[in-house]
Amino acid sequence: MPNEHTHSHSSHTHAGHGHAPATFDRAFAIGIALNTAFVIAEVVYGLAAHSLALLADAGHNLSDVLGLALAWGAVWLGRKPATAAFTYGFRRSSILASLANAVVLLVAVGGIAWEAVQRLASPSPVDSSTVAWVAAAGIAVNGVTAWLFARGSKGDLNIRGAFLHMASDAAISAGVVVAALVTLRTGWRWLDPSVSLVIAALIIAGTWGLLRESVRLALDGVPTGIDQAGVARYLAALPGVAQVHDLHIWSMSTTEVALTAHLVRPGAGLDDALHSQIAHDLDHHFGIAHVTIQCEAAHSEHGCQRLCAA
């Protein structure tokens, strides 16, 4: 009996694998414009006030601008149709964008930390009043940008990441304000570079998970949050299934998960109803929207047995 192939795509939209709507183009544009203007202001006033904390925050906000631009570019590329050369389209560009964003952030934070350590060894005077006012403006800029993405933060992981990143930046700016006010009262010159080290630590803490998950997705690893063992148990328990092999789960983009699997069903014929049920269940219970199932009458030695776990 020849192998039976079915390629099923669920028609349901599911939180975690839906595309960001086109209306977020405006949010990206405003967010990038606001943060670019603020980065310029932080650099100018940071140099004038001799504040490493402001310059550190400027570097962080510059990475935010690059991150928003990369995310927006990936969304734009993801809308382009598939071609003969790129049969999945360009959805994977969102994974490359998140990986590039994580690398840029970590390189930038290394420079911030190095300068902070040198400044701690020989603290210089800081215009704490200027620092406080500029950082307060940062709370407003990052807060507004976070608000622009708030309504999509529950329906799309990519938008949620942008929202959480900008909201955390607002909190960091609040920390700079507190440090500047304390310096005004105490004259502690070491506080400004110390705050920059704290900012660097927060960036590393927030970026490390992004880097780890981006590398995982780039290497076609099972996305975090997907229960691979649960999926295998579900498929093995289907009517007539004697064995499941060549099970693969990977991300087509930062919001879409795909699956392929071979099901050994001795004596079973075509079963469109079962295939539709599989697609529905994997979408709604596991968040996997792109499903390809190959049914076989007996276990085949062909395929990728040397590379795949049963």
Side-chain angles (χ1 to χ4, degrees), residues 1-271:
M1 177 180 174
N3 289 346
E4 172 197 334
H5 299 265
T6 180
H7 190 185
S8 303
H9 293 284
S10 173
S11 61
H12 300 277
T13 301
H14 188 280
H17 55 70
H19 292 290
T23 51
F24 281 105
D25 286 348
R26 183 169 175 267
F28 277 118
I30 294 175
I32 288 173
L34 283 175
N35 281 273
T36 299
F38 184 59
V39 165
I40 295 172
E42 279 195 307
V43 170
V44 171
Y45 285 103
L47 291 173
H50 303 289
S51 171
L52 183 59
L54 273 184
L55 294 176
D57 202 43
H60 188 196
N61 281 296
L62 178 59
S63 70
D64 290 343
V65 173
L66 295 176
L68 287 174
L70 284 170
W72 194 11
V75 169
W76 177 78
L77 281 174
R79 295 178 188 144
K80 295 177 69 66
T83 67
F86 296 91
T87 56
Y88 272 127
F90 299 87
R91 302 170 189 174
R92 204 173 184 83
S93 59
S94 62
I95 296 175
L96 298 179
S98 63
L99 180 58
N101 188 27
V103 171
V104 168
L105 273 168
L106 290 177
V107 170
V109 79
I112 291 170
W114 176 256
E115 182 64 24
V117 170
Q118 291 184 320
R119 189 71 68 88
L120 272 174
S122 55
S124 58
V126 174
D127 184 352
S128 298
S129 179
T130 299
V131 172
W133 281 109
V134 175
I139 298 175
V141 168
N142 290 314
V144 168
T145 305
W147 174 76
L148 290 172
F149 293 104
R151 67 185 175 86
S153 63
K154 295 182 179 179
D156 186 291
L157 292 178
N158 191 36
I159 299 300
R160 186 186 304 173
F163 167 75
L164 292 176
H165 198 167
M166 301 314 301
S168 66
D169 286 351
I172 291 173
S173 293
V176 174
V177 171
V178 172
L181 293 177
V182 172
T183 302
L184 275 173
R185 294 183 63 87
T186 63
W188 294 340
R189 294 183 180 181
W190 54 266
L191 191 58
D192 184 80
S194 296
V195 167
S196 69
L197 280 176
V198 172
I199 291 174
L202 290 172
I203 297 172
I204 291 175
T207 304
W208 191 250
L210 174 65
L211 178 65
R212 184 176 61 246
E213 184 65 11
S214 297
V215 170
R216 182 187 184 97
L217 298 187
L219 294 176
D220 287 335
V222 177
T224 300
I226 298 295
D227 182 5
Q228 192 268 356
V231 171
R233 287 194 298 270
Y234 163 77
L235 293 174
L238 290 169
V241 173
Q243 185 182 17
V244 178
H245 64 97
D246 289 353
L247 171 60
H248 299 283
I249 305 173
W250 75 99
S251 285
M252 298 174 64
S253 71
T254 52
T255 60
E256 296 173 286
V257 181
L259 172 148
T260 59
H262 294 197
L263 305 183
V264 179
R265 303 182 72 221
L270 289 171
D271 194 339

Side-chain angles (χ1 to χ4, degrees), residues 245-308:
H245 64 97
D246 289 353
L247 171 60
H248 299 283
I249 305 173
W250 75 99
S251 285
M252 298 174 64
S253 71
T254 52
T255 60
E256 296 173 286
V257 181
L259 172 148
T260 59
H262 294 197
L263 305 183
V264 179
R265 303 182 72 221
L270 289 171
D271 194 339
D272 290 340
L274 177 63
H275 299 151
S276 295
Q277 186 64 41
I278 292 173
H280 176 274
D281 290 347
L282 289 176
D283 181 22
H284 286 267
H285 298 301
F286 297 97
I288 302 173
H290 299 265
V291 178
T292 303
I293 297 295
Q294 175 176 317
C295 291
E296 303 166 350
H299 180 73
S300 172
E301 296 301 324
H302 300 290
C304 52
Q305 296 304 307
R306 289 180 300 170
L307 301 176
C308 309

